Each structure stands twice: as structure tokens, then as C-alpha cells.
Amino acid sequence: MSALYKMHLAKNAVMGVYNGKSVPLSYTSQVEAYKAVRENALLVDYSHMSIVRVVGDDAWSLVNHLASADVSVIRDEQGLYSLLLNEDGTVWGDAYILCTDEGYYILSESLSVGDIIERLNVILEYRVDLDIQDVPEITAMDTQEWGAVLLEGPYAWELLAEIYGFDIIGLPYHEYMNTDDGLITFRCGRHGEYGYLLVGEQLQLVEVWQQLLDKGDKYQLKIAGLDYQQLVRIENPCWDASIYQNYSCNPLELQMQWAIQYDKENFIGKSAVEELSRRGAERKLVGMMPLVEGGDIKADDKVVADAVVVGVIIKGGYSPARKSHIALALIDSDYAWSDIAGFAIRTPHGNIAATTHNLPFLYNFSMLVNPTEHSFIDTTKPKSALSGIKV
């Protein structure tokens, strides 16, 4: 039983299994968690994230062939986000890849450690076209009692600076710092907010978790399980197999081709995804909003235009920031444009008039918060769209 798991049981968290790991699914109400992540700071156990270490002189060739993004653009203490593709060009999963002076860390929410290592070994077995002379060392870090904790929200930087100093405030997006306690602190911003992923030994993560709680009251810090992502990942879409895999794994349909470096020399699925790009997507992911209050939209509801079904709802929910129900939909490309009215959502309770909406749905509050000008505790801060929401 891991140190983090023991801590959560002691605090009566509702536990569940995500990506093969036992993690909290719920700590507080979803309303409280949502308000915290969108307005101040939220703390989450992210130990469902698989962590694989690849080191050695030829680690770059191996990791770069796995990733669809170009790993050559990052250096020590930098990271990038990448899709990991199947041979047919569809999305297998996604990952953050962090560069170290010895090699790389591969961090993935959607793939197990075993799956990642198995694919790396397959690449090594058929490495005819790869410049690999010395086989890299591949390590499953979960066997080293590693884990991850996520702190995110518009004022996450200010709270974290109380522990690690003002260097945190100047940490650029997709860069990390090695802190004195042996952790890696990576600025990621998965859901459009200031986000910091702390990675390392679980015993140290438990200690930092408690430090954040001790200092977090004045930031109105809340703890959450992974259930808060059900809404924030509609507002700020990112790859999540639980949302998309039953509808599409085509990166062009999901409008995630930005995470693919097409001019790389080679990577898994390159020729297939290039062909998908040449053909173009027959349907695309767009946002949908009802034009009437109370327009509850759910997965599998049909999108209709001129009495013809032109798409399907993937996932819906109520957005407090938008003060409206919102949804993600896959719509025929001819209709997949932003801010177009004239659609109807066919639900079991009747049709709901709707309009398309560009993604993401939010102009995040974090975009208005400037660490050089604002402070949560000194109340020098812009006004949040959620200021009237009660929890």
C-alpha cells in the first residue's frame, strides 16, 4: 500500500481505479472543486499517471520514434506534449515528455507503464532504421514508489511559491525545476489554468501535500479526486480516452493535429496520419450550446440540421463559468463551423435549439491573472466570472 494511498484512506477519500492505479475519485463536492480550479487553487493526486524513465546515449532516437511531436526541440529541464499514435495514424494515447541530462521521462495519464514499456521494446526489436547503438535503459518508476501530484488554478503559482520560492513564478510553460526535496516540478496547464505537476517519491509527495494544505487555507485551497475533470475537460478539451475512444481516435477529427510534427523524419503512424491529413476529416470536434435555459445535452444525442442528422454529442455538462449547458460534438465537416445557429439537439425529451461554439469554451481566468501584478492573498486580483457562485 503506497504512502499516498494510506494518506487518502485516512482522510476518507472515495477511492477508485484509473489507468490501473488506485487514486481518489472524490474528496469534496464537484461544485467546490470546480470553483477552486477555476478561481483559486486545487490539489489532486495524479498518481494514476504512468512514469517511465528512458536513459542512455541513444535514448533520444527511441523516444522520438515513439512520439509524434519532435523531441529534438527540448533540452534539459524542458518538456513537451505529444500524441502517441498507432500504426494506422489513430491516437493510442498521449504523454508529456521531459528531457533530463541523462535521457527522458515519459508521463502518461492514458497508458499504463506496461503498455509504454512494451511498445518501446517493440521499437527496439525492429530498430533497423533507427540510430541506436547502445540500448537505452528503460525503468518503470512506479516500482520505485514514485507518484505525481497536481496543483492547478489561477493562483497555484502563488501557493507553490510559498514552498519553493519565487523561482516558481518565473517557471516558463512546459519547463520544470528540480527542487531541493528531490521532486520534479513541471509547469503543464492541462485544463487551461496555471498547473504544476510534482513528480517523485511518494513519501516526499505526502510531505509536500501536507505543506500545501498547511499553507492553503488563505488561498481557499480545495482537494479533489479525478471526478472534477468530467466538466473541465469539456470546457478545455484534451485527449481523454474515457471521453473520445467510443466515438473517434482520429486526431484530425478531434482537431489535435497541432500535437503532431508532420515534418519529422519518422515516428510510429507517420505515413498513415499523413494520409489522413491528405484526405481531410469528414467530421470534426466542435462545441455546442443550447439556445434555451435548461437545455440538458447528453452523450449520444443527435445533432440535426434541416431535419437531417449531421453529428452526435460526445459529452455534455453544465458550465458554471458559461452559465449554460455545453457539449462536445462530432459534426460533419460541412457544418463544423463556430457560432452557427440553426441546429437542434435531438434528445429523449424533445429537440433543443442549439448553436456551435469554438473550442475551448472558456477564456480562462488564469489568462487574466498576472503573477507580476496580482495576488490572491493581497486581494490585488481581477474579478472572476465565478464570483457569484455559491458552494
Side-chain angles (χ1 to χ4, degrees):
M1 187 180 296
S2 72
L4 283 169
Y5 187 85
K6 291 178 181 178
M7 179 185 70
H8 298 316
L9 287 184
K11 296 180 181 296
N12 298 316
V14 178
M15 305 296 290
V17 177
Y18 194 96
N19 196 20
K21 305 285 184 63
S22 294
V23 291
L25 296 184
S26 178
Y27 244 107
T28 186
S29 76
Q30 289 194 39
V31 175
E32 285 185 314
Y34 177 85
K35 193 171 189 295
V37 75
R38 292 305 190 203
E39 199 167 49
N40 26 285
L42 187 71
L43 182 60
V44 191
D45 183 354
Y46 244 52
S47 293
H48 64 287
M49 180 165 272
S50 299
I51 309 169
V52 176
R53 184 171 181 252
V54 184
V55 299
D57 291 341
D58 295 327
W60 173 82
S61 294
L62 176 59
V63 174
N64 200 43
H65 192 74
L66 174 73
S68 64
D70 188 358
V71 178
S72 68
V73 303
I74 57 174
R75 298 293 182 266
D76 188 16
E77 298 191 348
Q78 295 180 332
L80 57 71
Y81 173 81
S82 179
L83 292 179
L84 310 180
L85 303 181
N86 295 304
E87 291 288 358
D88 64 0
T90 59
V91 179
W92 179 52
D94 66 345
Y96 288 116
I97 297 172
L98 310 187
C99 180
T100 76
D101 58 354
E102 296 180 328
Y104 300 90
Y105 288 107
I106 301 170
L107 313 176
S108 179
E109 281 191 74
S110 58
L111 300 168
S112 72
V113 166
D115 288 340
I116 295 170
I117 292 178
E118 180 181 10
R119 180 157 293 197
L120 290 171
N121 285 329
V122 169
I123 296 172
L124 287 172
E125 184 177 356
Y126 299 98
R127 62 181 190 272
V128 178
D129 298 327
L130 297 183
D131 183 20
I132 298 179
Q133 305 301 320
D134 298 317
V135 176
E137 178 185 341
I138 302 170
T139 305
M141 299 309 295
D142 59 344
T143 61
Q144 309 296 317
E145 286 297 317
W146 274 39
V149 165
L150 180 70
L151 179 69
E152 67 171 339
Y155 292 95
W157 55 271
E158 191 172 15
L159 171 55
L160 201 58
E162 292 210 24
I163 297 175
Y164 292 130
F166 287 100
D167 286 347
I168 282 291
I169 296 175
L171 188 63
Y173 185 60
H174 279 183
E175 292 195 15
Y176 70 89
M177 58 186 289
N178 294 293
T179 54
D180 292 340
D181 54 10
L183 296 179
I184 295 170
T185 300
F186 175 57
R187 183 179 168 195
C188 53
R190 187 90 160 145
H191 306 122
E193 306 291 354
Y194 286 102
Y196 300 89
L197 190 67
L198 284 68
V199 181
E201 294 183 359
Q202 291 211 18
L203 287 174
Q204 189 57 48
L205 290 172
V206 169
E207 184 174 329
V208 171
W209 182 283
Q210 190 58 54
Q211 288 179 306
L212 290 168
L213 292 184
D214 291 343
K215 298 178 181 296
D217 283 349
K218 57 191 173 186
Y219 298 94
Q220 298 178 23
L221 174 71
K222 300 296 181 183
I223 307 174
L226 295 178
D227 56 358
Y228 83 104
Q229 295 182 348
Q230 294 297 308
L231 176 55
V232 297
R233 291 189 172 180
I234 304 175
E235 295 175 333
N236 289 80
C238 61
W239 171 254
D240 187 324
S242 67
I243 295 176
Y244 298 112
Q245 66 182 359
N246 292 331
Y247 297 92
S248 177
C249 291
N250 182 327
L252 277 78
E253 290 185 347
L254 299 179
Q255 306 219 46
M256 296 195 71
Q257 61 269 33
W258 57 268
I260 300 171
Q261 192 73 32
Y262 287 92
D263 58 359
K264 274 179 60 175
E265 184 174 345
N266 201 7
F267 56 87
I268 294 175
K270 180 184 179 184
S271 59
V273 79
E274 286 177 334
E275 179 59 28
L276 290 176
S277 181
R278 281 192 291 270
R279 292 204 307 260
E282 295 182 359
R283 54 184 186 166
K284 293 182 180 178
L285 184 74
V286 297
M288 298 290 298
M289 291 183 65
L291 295 175
V292 294
E293 291 187 15
D296 192 5
I297 305 172
K298 298 186 181 299
D300 295 327
D301 289 345
K302 298 299 186 290
V303 181
V304 178
D306 298 325
V308 176
V309 174
V310 297
V312 62
I313 298 297
I314 293 177
K315 191 172 182 64
Y318 182 80
S319 168
R322 296 294 317 212
K323 298 179 175 61
S324 171
H325 283 85
I326 59 174
L328 299 174
L330 275 173
I331 298 179
D332 295 348
S333 293
D334 290 343
Y335 296 86
W337 300 90
S338 299
D339 303 318
I340 304 298
F343 292 95
I345 309 300
R346 185 178 293 169
T347 78
H349 309 291
N351 287 357
I352 299 173
T355 181
T356 55
H357 194 281
N358 62 295
L359 296 174
F361 279 97
L362 298 186
Y363 184 83
N364 289 73
F365 186 42
S366 284
M367 302 292 288
L368 302 176
V369 174
N370 185 339
T372 64
E373 298 178 5
H374 302 130
S375 168
F376 187 87
I377 57 177
D378 292 338
T379 67
T380 56
K381 53 188 176 182
K383 184 179 179 180
S384 166
L386 300 180
S387 57
I389 295 176
K390 297 180 179 180
V391 295

